Amino acid sequence: MTSLQTPFIELADNLWGHVFDPNKRLFWGYLLATFGFATFVWWRSKCQKSLIQFLFPRAVWLNQSAKQDYIVWLLNAAIKTILIIPLLFSAAPIAIELSFFLERTFGDRPPLFLDKTAVALSFTLMLFVLDDLTRYWLHLLLHKVPALWAIHKVHHSAEVMTPITVYRIHPIESALYACRLVLSQGLVLGLGFYLFGHRLDVVDVLGANIGVFLFNMFAANLRHSHVWLTWPKVLEKWLISPAQHQIHHSSAIEHRDKNIGSALAIWDRIAGSLVLSEEANRKLTFGVGHRPYKNLIALYALPCIEFCKAIIPKRRHKKALK
């Protein structure tokens, strides 16, 4: 096997792994559950179209925006295989340093008399909550900081949405989320070592954190779709429904920077940015109000240019004041 063939094999394994890895959104079990939820929406709406026409309208799946999503997914997978994955740092040093810091600051590990099951449940909950919270913080920064919005705008530029749209992100954003993941895992591991010692375990289903598994099983793939799936009002105050995430992608100005959260709605509720599905018209339009990326070169290059423009003027302004 030549060195040139290896990246292509890794790329193929990466793409194929999406179907069989429960940690991936396109895992076959999640797709099957998504089909079930979408079929329920079709049946409940008494739609005159056939199920296939309802689920796979040509206007959505063959839209130029959707076609762009498919290519971006493939290109990003190749970029991630070649560049981002080898650059990822380990969560272990973060965990070790945090554990030592807690011991130096607060003394020896507190005597928590928990059995193995209680430790696993506690650690799993810690992982899920901190992962969701750090996702919210980063997502909020991507919306509020102009330089970062220049990068995140790629995702919001989708004019129609399919489950593949979740992968419509700029490689710089992928790198930011990868670093966030390592950081959050390192913090939880460090805290876990301090509280529970080396008895750490995770409650999982097929190798995926049970929180992640349930999130994806409950129609996470419909978050980026035309299928309007809501949760009961009381539940939407705690968990973001697919419809609520579609509101987040709305081009309407009143929906700007709303429903930032990923799985949990409590962060948006605290920040006052939560919008329930009943508060919005289900006939949403998506995008950023115009079509900023005419082709793939623009989609990858323009965000970098806009990012630099958002930073450089500030530096010049500071020099002018001196």
Side-chain angles (χ1 to χ4, degrees), residues 150-217:
I151 302 299
H152 187 55
K153 188 168 66 175
V154 169
H155 184 60
H156 278 268
S157 66
E159 296 175 340
V160 299
M161 295 200 295
T162 73
I164 301 299
T165 306
V166 71
Y167 300 106
R168 181 192 180 95
I169 54 178
H170 196 276
I172 294 177
E173 182 174 340
S174 293
L176 290 173
Y177 270 103
C179 292
R180 175 214 62 85
L181 176 62
V182 173
L183 178 61
S184 65
Q185 288 184 342
L187 292 175
V188 176
L189 280 170
L191 181 59
F193 283 138
Y194 177 69
L195 293 176
F196 309 122
H198 295 282
R199 298 184 298 156
L200 295 182
D201 197 4
V202 176
V203 180
D204 65 82
V205 180
L206 301 177
N209 182 305
I210 190 170
V212 174
F213 182 84
L214 292 174
F215 171 71
N216 286 319
M217 282 296 290

Side-chain angles (χ1 to χ4, degrees), residues 59-287:
V60 172
W61 289 87
L62 296 182
N63 186 282
Q64 287 301 317
S65 176
K67 291 178 181 178
Q68 198 173 56
D69 289 353
Y70 308 147
I71 300 174
V72 168
W73 176 44
L74 296 174
L75 290 176
N76 281 354
I79 293 171
K80 186 176 181 180
T81 299
I82 297 171
L83 296 179
I84 296 178
I85 290 179
L87 293 177
L88 279 182
F89 56 92
S90 172
I94 300 173
I96 293 170
E97 288 301 320
L98 177 59
S99 182
F100 285 161
F101 170 78
L102 292 173
E103 287 183 8
R104 290 194 301 267
T105 305
F106 301 105
D108 293 335
R109 184 181 305 118
L112 296 178
F113 301 103
L114 301 176
D115 60 20
K116 184 177 180 180
T117 301
V119 168
L121 288 171
S122 300
F123 185 63
T124 300
L125 182 61
M126 288 164 53
L127 273 174
F128 180 76
V129 172
L130 188 62
D131 179 79
D132 197 74
L133 178 58
T134 54
R135 280 180 182 275
Y136 170 82
W137 280 341
L138 177 55
H139 195 184
L140 183 64
L141 290 174
L142 289 168
H143 275 259
K144 296 298 186 180
V145 179
L148 295 180
W149 170 249
I151 302 299
H152 187 55
K153 188 168 66 175
V154 169
H155 184 60
H156 278 268
S157 66
E159 296 175 340
V160 299
M161 295 200 295
T162 73
I164 301 299
T165 306
V166 71
Y167 300 106
R168 181 192 180 95
I169 54 178
H170 196 276
I172 294 177
E173 182 174 340
S174 293
L176 290 173
Y177 270 103
C179 292
R180 175 214 62 85
L181 176 62
V182 173
L183 178 61
S184 65
Q185 288 184 342
L187 292 175
V188 176
L189 280 170
L191 181 59
F193 283 138
Y194 177 69
L195 293 176
F196 309 122
H198 295 282
R199 298 184 298 156
L200 295 182
D201 197 4
V202 176
V203 180
D204 65 82
V205 180
L206 301 177
N209 182 305
I210 190 170
V212 174
F213 182 84
L214 292 174
F215 171 71
N216 286 319
M217 282 296 290
F218 280 87
N221 281 304
L222 292 183
R223 292 159 61 88
H224 298 93
S225 78
H226 60 284
V227 179
W228 184 261
L229 177 64
T230 66
W231 302 144
K233 180 178 178 179
V234 65
L235 191 57
E236 285 193 340
K237 291 182 178 180
W238 293 95
L239 299 171
I240 298 287
S241 70
Q244 284 175 288
H245 191 73
Q246 291 171 22
I247 293 170
H248 172 72
H249 275 268
S250 169
S251 60
I253 192 168
E254 63 268 23
H255 298 148
R256 186 172 297 170
D257 302 337
K258 303 297 184 182
N259 297 347
I260 299 288
S262 181
L264 300 176
I266 54 177
W267 320 124
D268 281 294
R269 194 140 55 92
I270 293 171
S273 56
L274 184 67
V275 176
L276 304 181
S277 58
E278 66 175 21
E279 299 171 1
N281 189 330
R282 68 175 61 189
K283 294 182 179 179
L284 301 171
T285 57
F286 304 126

